Amino acid sequence: MKLTLHIWRQKSARDKGKFEEHLVDDVSPDMSFLEMLDVLNESLIHQGKEPFAYDHDCREGICGACSLTINGTPHGPEAATTTCQLHMRKFKNGDSIFIEPFRARAFPIIKDLVVDRSAFDRIIQVGGFISVGTNQPQDANALPVSKLKAELAMDAAACIGCGACAAACPNGASMLFVAAKVSQFALLPQGQPERKKRVVAMVEQMEKEGFGGCTNFYECEAVCPKQVSVRFIAMMNRDFLGATLTKE
Amino acid sequence: MSLFNWLKSSILSKVVMALTGVLLVAFVCGHTLGNMLIYLGKEEFNAYAQFLQSLGEILWLIRITLFLALILHIIAAIRVKFLNMASKPVKYQVRRYVKAKLTSRTMLWTGSMVLAFLAYHLLHFTIGVTNPKDFHVYEYYAPHNAYGVLPSGAIAKINEPNSKITQNLLDQFESQASKQVMKRHDVYKMVVLGFKNPWISLCYFIGVILLGFHLNHAIQSMFQTLGINHPKYDKCLRNFSPVLSTIIVICMISIPINILLGLTGGAL
């Protein structure tokens, strides 16, 4: 396959950045998108040029490290797929592909296509956990959980924290991420003691980090590689409102 | 917790927008139902308008509540807009939307245009500034289908359109202390005269369709913001939005269409 790549080049957060055009002509349709970039980077290194910096880790679609906004959609055109699991067979010979970093104020660009997503870590640090004793493990099934709630909690817990929701949101809002992290505990008995404190702390941290507010475009749900539903945003709104009104 | 503190939070700003939105949507629904009375005829429509005016203090209470709701709705919208502009300082050079619709992306624009339309609508039909000639129209009517005694001594049925009750005659009635004939705002005539002008009708078409666009996104958005959802009812709640807004638009624009076609108010 022959492709024309327009890739975002930016030296640092302060640099203005621009697209750089590269022609690649030896792309196999079986390559993943990241492998295609690896091949390009290798040829750039051979030519003595600077390779493009981009994030990746497990390449199995479960770690949430890879990013990239491909032709205007975070993680590319295929639904429910991370960039590392996107294959070149999804593109046509002769295509032009625009590759940009995830864009949001809370995700400052470090270099080229790499953005700093540590804002998500700080949101988790203020409440994305449960406090449990580390003595003898409890009997399995001692806490009854309904089937529906167990399933919903699992759906929320599918979030890999990649940041595509905030990248896709025209408001740069990370409501889907925070909602998933709040709901996975709010749905289960283990999450109840810290429920109100958690939702207030995480939402406040989200706003401190400079993420925007939700205006229900539902772009986040559309690009989420784990198909986390915007239903959780409604659940978080309800929890947050309740917690604000009845905070201890 | 003060309102100022509420507006600091993006989620609570949206709650303010949703709750004020509930009031405004309820008003629009009531307004639509009330407008449909025009199809029952002049008598019912004018009686309804007269009933609303007779509410007095209650009417003003409703007006003030709606006005405050509208102001809060706008303040919250502007607050969220500024916050959101700041959170996405650099836009994508290439952008492809997957789920965001034209209606959801243009809420601020449709909202502002609906506001402008609302201002015109109030000046036109409520305050009577833009078309004073059509606004100051009155009809004489008699409650309980009464008969009046004319100065000649004859008995005439008063509330029939062709009973030829003139101002002059009415004055005579009043001088005879006949309380059976009364004067009221002829809202029916005002509406018919207004919509006979195709430019005014066009203005209302555009205004109402923009309102429909706004509501199409707004109603389901309201449920989402207030956290009203459940896997069982998700689809139902999301479909409620386009269905209700379409019904409102069809009902509202049917009035100028019928008047322009001469189907309503033709005999006037």
Side-chain angles (χ1 to χ4, degrees), chain B residues 184-219:
Chain B
R184 68 180 169 197
H185 194 191
D186 194 348
V187 177
Y188 187 87
K189 192 172 178 184
M190 171 185 82
V191 170
V192 171
L193 288 176
F195 287 148
K196 282 245 156 112
N197 179 337
W199 294 109
I200 291 179
S201 281
L202 181 70
C203 192
Y204 276 81
F205 284 157
I206 297 171
V208 168
I209 288 170
L210 285 170
L211 176 69
F213 260 62
H214 197 73
L215 293 183
N216 192 358
H217 178 69
I219 296 168

Side-chain angles (χ1 to χ4, degrees), chain B residues 167-180:
Chain B
Q167 180 68 50
N168 191 20
L169 257 180
L170 188 83
D171 289 344
Q172 292 181 41
F173 271 129
E174 279 170 352
S175 65
Q176 289 179 9
S178 167
K179 296 286 174 209
Q180 291 202 297

Side-chain angles (χ1 to χ4, degrees), chain A residues 173-217:
Chain A
S174 62
M175 294 280 281
L176 192 64
F177 166 77
V178 182
K181 297 304 176 191
V182 164
S183 303
Q184 63 182 1
F185 297 128
L187 284 158
L188 296 177
Q190 292 88 340
Q192 298 314 311
E194 292 148 310
R195 185 170 178 174
K196 288 182 188 173
K197 209 172 111 191
R198 174 185 305 115
V199 65
V200 172
M202 289 178 80
V203 168
E204 279 174 359
Q205 186 64 33
M206 169 187 93
E207 288 180 345
K208 244 185 252 169
E209 295 291 346
F211 288 108
C214 182
T215 49
N216 307 328
F217 290 113

Side-chain angles (χ1 to χ4, degrees), chain B residues 235-254:
Chain B
K235 254 200 179 148
C236 181
L237 289 177
R238 280 203 193 173
N239 291 337
F240 180 64
S241 201
V243 169
L244 181 62
S245 44
T246 309
I247 291 174
I248 289 173
V249 169
I250 290 174
C251 288
M252 290 287 208
I253 65 172
S254 73

